[in-house]
Amino acid sequence: MGDKIKSRTFQSPEFMLGPGSVESNMYYDIDFPRGHIALKSFNAEVVDQAGNPVPLYETYFHHWLVGKYYERRPSDRNFSRNSGLCQGQILGQYFGLGSETRKTATHIPDPFGVEIGNPDEIPEGYQEKWYLVVHAIETRGVEDRLGCIECRCDLYNVTNDEDGNPIKPDYKGGLQCCYGQTRCKVSQGFQGGKRSLSLRYTAKWIDWDSSSIPVEIFMLDVTDTGKRLHGLTGISPENGCQVEYEVESCSATKATRNGCVDIKRTSLTMPTGGYVIYAVAHQHVGGIGSTLYGQDGNIICTSKPIYGNGNEAGNEDGYIVGMSTCYPEPGSVKITAGENLTLESNYNNTNKHTGVMGLFYIYIAKQAPNMTFSHPPVQASFCSIFS
């Protein structure tokens, strides 16, 4: 299969960022591979007008998301989503990472792929199209770089969220405070102009054929309450995935017995089963790793952040520049329909962190190729980690 792989690099529309400013935008009908194909990988990074990669300490890439919708006309769009588990369109993207995007493997091994462009799945009269969400924070010249990328509300001087609703007093930082057109506090006297940036993204794919095996994409969230309130599709305190959370410092909570590690866990029920083909976590600065456990306590995948230690783009000191990934030998790690999984997200909480995330992507295939084993399948022992 590997010899038919195609690759193309695309560029998002340009956006302008000055010191402290925030880009948070959704672009419809982006350039994307067309036809009935199996997507094999998707990578992205922020570049300047000359095409040079921009380091995270200048422009922090909070997240980018790519998702699918069907359109008859711009006023008639039906959004598709991944296979779960969150409510409504929350975390419904097919692909998406944050600061770790440059050093996180995203390739899907043969003969698997994300099936797109299947004419049987596209509603009659509609076209399959793709959207891109970009959230970036310009930290040139800001007073408190970590505070800006953690979206601390006091640094953005906002009291209302993007929709104009008052922000609750106990909400100290996160996405409600760093939406588009907000500005993080810049050091007095700092002079820096606006510049034009864009997202450069590369997709690899092969034509779909009878030997291709589709994967389903599941997005798990450690903040998932497990409840689904009837008719509610957005984020509310009781309902489903909360997307982000706060990590209190261990000195504030006096909980130093864990050696200043904040451990957050949730239990999740998988609606369908299959074989794990790929898995990776998403965390923010302070994250020290995340583990997904099966019902009997077996480790399905542990994914850990890779922190940079230099100046160059892709190795920025103190930032998460990659996440380790799991590629179990296909057929070796199985999740059954209705299985209760446990997701655990760990953060160093020597200091408080706001707006952190504990997400986990898993790609599941209903079948593994030639399910014959030269050795009996062992739960999760093949979960090799490539960084």
Side-chain angles (χ1 to χ4, degrees):
M1 285 182 81
D3 56 352
K4 299 174 292 186
I5 205 151
K6 301 179 172 88
S7 177
R8 257 193 86 185
T9 298
F10 306 96
Q11 206 127 334
S12 78
E14 293 190 343
F15 48 90
M16 299 291 291
L17 283 179
S21 63
V22 178
E23 156 76 359
S24 180
N25 219 331
M26 188 165 186
Y27 300 100
Y28 290 101
D29 196 15
I30 58 165
D31 291 329
F32 208 75
R34 303 292 178 195
H36 189 191
I37 59 174
L39 280 173
K40 300 295 287 181
S41 71
F42 194 97
N43 294 296
E45 67 174 341
V46 173
V47 294
D48 63 18
Q49 252 180 323
N52 301 311
V54 175
L56 291 166
Y57 52 79
E58 290 183 2
T59 305
Y60 181 74
F61 209 179
H62 192 285
H63 62 263
W64 58 268
L65 312 172
V66 169
K68 182 169 76 171
Y69 64 99
Y70 300 113
E71 182 180 281
R72 189 164 13 207
R73 53 185 176 275
S75 61
D76 184 356
R77 292 180 176 136
N78 290 341
F79 284 84
S80 176
R81 64 157 298 140
N82 57 35
S83 297
L85 296 172
C86 295
Q87 69 278 19
Q89 285 296 323
I90 306 293
L91 300 176
Q93 70 268 16
Y94 283 64
F95 304 97
L97 294 170
S99 67
E100 74 274 24
T101 189
R102 288 186 175 110
K103 282 207 167 88
T104 302
T106 66
H107 70 274
I108 303 168
D110 290 338
F112 306 96
V114 176
E115 183 182 15
I116 68 167
N118 181 346
D120 296 338
E121 289 180 6
I122 300 169
E124 201 172 332
Y126 286 79
Q127 285 180 290
E128 181 181 276
K129 295 190 173 187
W130 294 81
Y131 67 80
L132 167 69
V133 174
V134 175
H135 189 179
I137 302 168
E138 189 75 359
T139 59
R140 283 178 299 146
V142 297
E143 261 186 20
D144 178 352
R145 212 170 247 148
L146 181 61
C148 288
I149 69 173
E150 292 193 339
C151 297
R152 280 212 346 243
C153 301
D154 56 341
L155 291 169
Y156 285 86
N157 196 24
V158 291
T159 52
N160 291 347
D161 67 15
E162 192 167 12
D163 299 323
N165 303 312
I167 294 166
K168 292 191 173 79
D170 61 347
Y171 184 88
K172 300 299 183 197
L175 291 168
Q176 291 181 37
C177 292
C178 60
Y179 45 92
Q181 312 313 310
T182 57
R183 191 170 187 223
C184 198
K185 195 173 185 186
V186 175
S187 301
Q188 205 170 350
F190 180 80
Q191 298 297 317
K194 287 187 170 184
R195 58 179 179 172
S196 178
L197 304 169
S198 62
L199 186 73
R200 183 167 64 200
Y201 55 100
T202 300
K204 294 186 179 179
W205 72 94
I206 55 171
D207 292 329
W208 192 266
D209 66 27
S210 57
S211 65
S212 306
I213 300 177
V215 293
E216 287 187 83
I217 301 170
F218 287 88
M219 186 78 179
L220 313 180
D221 179 4
V222 79
T223 68
D224 194 338
T225 63
K227 296 177 186 163
R228 297 293 182 269
L229 303 183
H230 183 65
L232 288 181
T233 54
I235 297 174
S236 57
E238 289 289 299
N239 190 42
C241 301
Q242 307 293 303
V243 180
E244 56 180 7
Y245 65 103
E246 200 166 278
V247 170
E248 286 296 344
S249 75
C250 55
S251 55
T253 58
K254 308 280 191 292
T256 50
R257 66 181 180 280
N258 289 337
C260 283
V261 175
D262 178 85
I263 302 168
K264 192 169 180 68
R265 285 189 195 93
T266 194
S267 179
L268 304 154
T269 304
M270 288 297 287
T272 57
Y275 299 97
V276 179
I277 304 302
Y278 167 86
V280 67
H282 169 72
Q283 291 188 311
H284 290 186
V285 169
I288 49 178
S290 187
T291 299
L292 184 64
Y293 297 93
Q295 191 162 315
D296 62 1
N298 58 299
I299 292 176
I300 293 170
C301 176
T302 293
S303 176
K304 293 186 174 178
I306 302 153
Y307 283 87
N309 59 7
N311 276 333
E312 65 277 16
N315 187 34
E316 299 91 335
D317 188 33
Y319 290 85
I320 294 181
V321 296
M323 293 294 295
S324 70
T325 46
C326 293
Y327 286 95
E329 188 169 303
S332 67
V333 178
K334 187 178 184 182
I335 291 171
T336 54
E339 184 171 351
N340 286 318
L341 308 182
T342 300
L343 176 57
E344 179 178 294
S345 176
N346 298 326
Y347 274 80
N348 179 306
N349 65 341
T350 306
N351 299 306
K352 178 188 175 102
H353 297 285
T354 58
V356 305
M357 295 186 181
L359 309 179
F360 221 100
Y361 282 97
I362 49 173
Y363 291 9
I364 290 181
K366 286 276 192 282
Q367 62 186 104
N370 325 321
M371 282 297 297
T372 54
F373 286 91
S374 52
H375 41 70
V378 181
Q379 282 289 320
S381 63
F382 303 114
C383 202
S384 54
I385 293 179
F386 305 127
S387 52

PDB file of all heavy atoms in Angstrom, residues 334-346:
ATOM      1  N   LYS A 334      -7.517  -4.884  22.281  1.00  0.00           N
ATOM      2  CA  LYS A 334      -8.926  -4.839  21.904  1.00  0.00           C
ATOM      3  C   LYS A 334      -9.755  -4.135  22.975  1.00  0.00           C
ATOM      4  O   LYS A 334      -9.523  -4.323  24.173  1.00  0.00           O
ATOM      5  CB  LYS A 334      -9.454  -6.267  21.689  1.00  0.00           C
ATOM      6  CG  LYS A 334     -10.872  -6.287  21.132  1.00  0.00           C
ATOM      7  CD  LYS A 334     -11.368  -7.700  20.876  1.00  0.00           C
ATOM      8  CE  LYS A 334     -12.748  -7.652  20.221  1.00  0.00           C
ATOM      9  NZ  LYS A 334     -13.299  -8.991  20.001  1.00  0.00           N
ATOM     10  N   ILE A 335     -10.692  -3.312  22.514  1.00  0.00           N
ATOM     11  CA  ILE A 335     -11.679  -2.713  23.403  1.00  0.00           C
ATOM     12  C   ILE A 335     -13.023  -3.311  23.012  1.00  0.00           C
ATOM     13  O   ILE A 335     -13.341  -3.409  21.820  1.00  0.00           O
ATOM     14  CB  ILE A 335     -11.700  -1.179  23.245  1.00  0.00           C
ATOM     15  CG1 ILE A 335     -10.401  -0.583  23.781  1.00  0.00           C
ATOM     16  CG2 ILE A 335     -12.897  -0.562  23.959  1.00  0.00           C
ATOM     17  CD1 ILE A 335     -10.224   0.899  23.492  1.00  0.00           C
ATOM     18  N   THR A 336     -13.811  -3.737  24.000  1.00  0.00           N
ATOM     19  CA  THR A 336     -15.102  -4.329  23.662  1.00  0.00           C
ATOM     20  C   THR A 336     -16.216  -3.290  23.813  1.00  0.00           C
ATOM     21  O   THR A 336     -16.089  -2.358  24.615  1.00  0.00           O
ATOM     22  CB  THR A 336     -15.413  -5.548  24.558  1.00  0.00           C
ATOM     23  OG1 THR A 336     -15.294  -5.145  25.927  1.00  0.00           O
ATOM     24  CG2 THR A 336     -14.440  -6.671  24.293  1.00  0.00           C
ATOM     25  N   ALA A 337     -17.282  -3.451  23.042  1.00  0.00           N
ATOM     26  CA  ALA A 337     -18.423  -2.531  23.125  1.00  0.00           C
ATOM     27  C   ALA A 337     -18.980  -2.575  24.541  1.00  0.00           C
ATOM     28  O   ALA A 337     -19.166  -3.650  25.112  1.00  0.00           O
ATOM     29  CB  ALA A 337     -19.489  -2.939  22.118  1.00  0.00           C
ATOM     30  N   GLY A 338     -19.205  -1.384  25.114  1.00  0.00           N
ATOM     31  CA  GLY A 338     -19.723  -1.304  26.480  1.00  0.00           C
ATOM     32  C   GLY A 338     -18.651  -1.364  27.553  1.00  0.00           C
ATOM     33  O   GLY A 338     -18.953  -1.282  28.749  1.00  0.00           O
ATOM     34  N   GLU A 339     -17.381  -1.479  27.138  1.00  0.00           N
ATOM     35  CA  GLU A 339     -16.296  -1.551  28.135  1.00  0.00           C
ATOM     36  C   GLU A 339     -16.131  -0.204  28.838  1.00  0.00           C
ATOM     37  O   GLU A 339     -16.214   0.849  28.221  1.00  0.00           O
ATOM     38  CB  GLU A 339     -14.982  -1.952  27.444  1.00  0.00           C
ATOM     39  CG  GLU A 339     -13.833  -2.150  28.412  1.00  0.00           C
ATOM     40  CD  GLU A 339     -12.589  -2.762  27.779  1.00  0.00           C
ATOM     41  OE1 GLU A 339     -12.649  -3.196  26.605  1.00  0.00           O
ATOM     42  OE2 GLU A 339     -11.555  -2.804  28.448  1.00  0.00           O
ATOM     43  N   ASN A 340     -15.888  -0.273  30.144  1.00  0.00           N
ATOM     44  CA  ASN A 340     -15.632   0.947  30.919  1.00  0.00           C
ATOM     45  C   ASN A 340     -14.131   1.209  30.973  1.00  0.00           C
ATOM     46  O   ASN A 340     -13.387   0.436  31.568  1.00  0.00           O
ATOM     47  CB  ASN A 340     -16.172   0.817  32.353  1.00  0.00           C
ATOM     48  CG  ASN A 340     -17.676   0.914  32.391  1.00  0.00           C
ATOM     49  OD1 ASN A 340     -18.260   1.752  31.708  1.00  0.00           O
ATOM     50  ND2 ASN A 340     -18.317   0.059  33.165  1.00  0.00           N
ATOM     51  N   LEU A 341     -13.717   2.289  30.337  1.00  0.00           N
ATOM     52  CA  LEU A 341     -12.305   2.672  30.344  1.00  0.00           C
ATOM     53  C   LEU A 341     -12.077   3.731  31.424  1.00  0.00           C
ATOM     54  O   LEU A 341     -12.992   4.457  31.801  1.00  0.00           O
ATOM     55  CB  LEU A 341     -11.909   3.261  28.990  1.00  0.00           C
ATOM     56  CG  LEU A 341     -12.241   2.447  27.740  1.00  0.00           C
ATOM     57  CD1 LEU A 341     -11.718   3.162  26.499  1.00  0.00           C
ATOM     58  CD2 LEU A 341     -11.673   1.038  27.828  1.00  0.00           C
ATOM     59  N   THR A 342     -10.861   3.814  31.909  1.00  0.00           N
ATOM     60  CA  THR A 342     -10.487   4.879  32.840  1.00  0.00           C
ATOM     61  C   THR A 342      -9.415   5.740  32.178  1.00  0.00           C
ATOM     62  O   THR A 342      -8.397   5.209  31.713  1.00  0.00           O
ATOM     63  CB  THR A 342      -9.946   4.308  34.169  1.00  0.00           C
ATOM     64  OG1 THR A 342     -10.971   3.517  34.772  1.00  0.00           O
ATOM     65  CG2 THR A 342      -9.549   5.428  35.124  1.00  0.00           C
ATOM     66  N   LEU A 343      -9.670   7.030  32.130  1.00  0.00           N
ATOM     67  CA  LEU A 343      -8.694   7.975  31.594  1.00  0.00           C
ATOM     68  C   LEU A 343      -8.113   8.770  32.749  1.00  0.00           C
ATOM     69  O   LEU A 343      -8.845   9.269  33.597  1.00  0.00           O
ATOM     70  CB  LEU A 343      -9.371   8.918  30.587  1.00  0.00           C
ATOM     71  CG  LEU A 343      -8.506  10.032  29.990  1.00  0.00           C
ATOM     72  CD1 LEU A 343      -7.258   9.483  29.304  1.00  0.00           C
ATOM     73  CD2 LEU A 343      -9.315  10.878  29.010  1.00  0.00           C
ATOM     74  N   GLU A 344      -6.783   8.855  32.762  1.00  0.00           N
ATOM     75  CA  GLU A 344      -6.091   9.571  33.837  1.00  0.00           C
ATOM     76  C   GLU A 344      -5.159  10.609  33.214  1.00  0.00           C
ATOM     77  O   GLU A 344      -4.434  10.313  32.274  1.00  0.00           O
ATOM     78  CB  GLU A 344      -5.282   8.564  34.665  1.00  0.00           C
ATOM     79  CG  GLU A 344      -4.490   9.173  35.808  1.00  0.00           C
ATOM     80  CD  GLU A 344      -3.752   8.103  36.597  1.00  0.00           C
ATOM     81  OE1 GLU A 344      -4.425   7.267  37.233  1.00  0.00           O
ATOM     82  OE2 GLU A 344      -2.505   8.076  36.542  1.00  0.00           O
ATOM     83  N   SER A 345      -5.222  11.822  33.744  1.00  0.00           N
ATOM     84  CA  SER A 345      -4.359  12.912  33.261  1.00  0.00           C
ATOM     85  C   SER A 345      -3.586  13.477  34.441  1.00  0.00           C
ATOM     86  O   SER A 345      -4.179  13.836  35.466  1.00  0.00           O
ATOM     87  CB  SER A 345      -5.230  13.997  32.615  1.00  0.00           C
ATOM     88  OG  SER A 345      -4.437  15.105  32.223  1.00  0.00           O
ATOM     89  N   ASN A 346      -2.262  13.537  34.306  1.00  0.00           N
ATOM     90  CA  ASN A 346      -1.400  13.985  35.406  1.00  0.00           C
ATOM     91  C   ASN A 346      -0.678  15.283  35.066  1.00  0.00           C
ATOM     92  O   ASN A 346      -0.131  15.431  33.963  1.00  0.00           O
ATOM     93  CB  ASN A 346      -0.355  12.910  35.728  1.00  0.00           C
ATOM     94  CG  ASN A 346      -0.982  11.615  36.188  1.00  0.00           C
ATOM     95  OD1 ASN A 346      -2.022  11.623  36.846  1.00  0.00           O
ATOM     96  ND2 ASN A 346      -0.373  10.492  35.842  1.00  0.00           N
TER      97      ASN A 346
END
